[in-house]
Amino acid sequence: GAGVSQSPSNKVTEKGKDVELRCDPISGHTALYWYRQSLGQGLEFLIYFQGNSAPDKSGLPSDRFSAERTGGSVSTLTIQRTQQEDSAVYLCASSFGPLGRQPQHFGDGTRLSIL
Amino acid sequence: DQQVKQNSPSLSVQEGRISILNCDYTNSMFDYFLWYKKYPAEGPTFLISISSIKDKNEDGRFTVFLNKSAKHLSLHIVPSQPGDSAVYFCAAKDGANSKLTFGKGITLSVRP
C-alpha cells in the first residue's frame, strides 16, 4: 500500500545486543518522526527529521539510541546494547510538512522484546 | 510530568448512544490538538483535529470541543457504532515544536 511501512513487525533479542528498526515513509512526505509506546503508556516522542534540517533528537532517552534518515526518505532507528526497559512498540510517522495542519500518518510499528 | 492527561482508562457505551472521551492538558503553549484511534497491532490513525483559535470542529459522527480556559477538550462520537471500539489517544503540539505529546489513551467499547 501507500502507507508508512515499518520492518520488522516483531523483534525479539537478547539484552546487550544491537537492533535496527526501519521506516519507509509515505512518498513525498518530508517530515518523519519516531515514537515509542511502552506497556500501558501513551506514545513517547523520540526524534524528528524535517527535510535537510538537523534532526530534533530531544526525545532520545539515552546515547544508546540513534537514528538516521538517508536521502530524505528511509529512516533507521538503532538501539545499541539493548536493555529490558527498551521493550516497547516503536512507531514511525510521516507528514507532508512540519506538523501545523498536516496530521502525522503512522506505520503499524515494530514490537521489540528484550529478553 | 504528564502534559496531556486522559484520566479515564476505559469507557463502555451502547450502540447508537453518544460516546464522550475527555482529555486535559497543562501546557498553555499547546495550540493544536488531535485525536487518534488505534486498533490492536496497528498504528494510530488520525481522526480529527482542532486549532486553539476554534472551540469546535465537526467531521461526520465525530466532533471535538475545546475549552481553552479549562485546558480541556473532548471527542464526541454520535451515534456510536461497534466498529468504533478501539483505543483513542488525545495529542497536542505547541507552535515551537513539531513533535506531538500524547495522552495514555482510553479504551472505548461499544456494545451491540
Side-chain angles (χ1 to χ4, degrees), chain A residues 56-80:
Chain A
D56 176 356
K57 305 180 182 179
S58 60
L60 295 179
S62 78
D63 58 8
R64 296 186 295 105
F65 288 72
S66 62
E68 61 178 24
R69 188 179 185 192
T70 54
S73 180
V74 172
S75 177
T76 302
L77 176 69
T78 301
I79 309 174
Q80 296 178 309

Side-chain angles (χ1 to χ4, degrees), chain B:
Chain B
D1 176 34
Q2 266 198 290
Q3 297 188 62
V4 177
K5 301 176 183 178
Q6 295 178 261
N7 293 320
S8 301
S10 62
L11 174 69
S12 181
V13 300
Q14 191 75 37
E15 180 178 6
R17 300 292 184 103
I18 185 171
S19 295
I20 300 176
L21 310 178
N22 293 307
C23 178
D24 297 289
Y25 62 95
T26 57
N27 187 343
S28 58
M29 297 301 293
F30 286 149
D31 62 359
Y32 191 58
F33 303 88
L34 306 89
W35 284 93
Y36 280 83
K37 173 181 178 180
K38 186 180 184 301
Y39 293 119
E42 294 184 10
T45 302
F46 170 73
L47 263 183
I48 192 168
S49 62
I50 189 166
S51 165
S52 59
I53 62 174
K54 296 186 174 182
D55 55 18
K56 176 182 175 181
N57 188 27
E58 188 173 354
D59 183 1
R61 296 187 298 114
F62 301 91
T63 302
V64 55
F65 296 91
L66 175 63
N67 182 334
K68 282 200 313 182
S69 60
K71 293 191 177 68
H72 176 83
L73 64 156
S74 60
L75 174 67
H76 293 210
I77 306 173
V78 55
S80 301
Q81 299 173 354
D84 296 330
S85 297
V87 178
Y88 289 78
F89 290 97
C90 173
K93 74 173 286 289
D94 71 55
N97 290 294
S98 290
K99 68 177 185 180
L100 290 174
T101 301
F102 283 84
K104 290 187 177 182
I106 178 170
T107 300
L108 173 66
S109 300
V110 180
R111 308 185 303 273

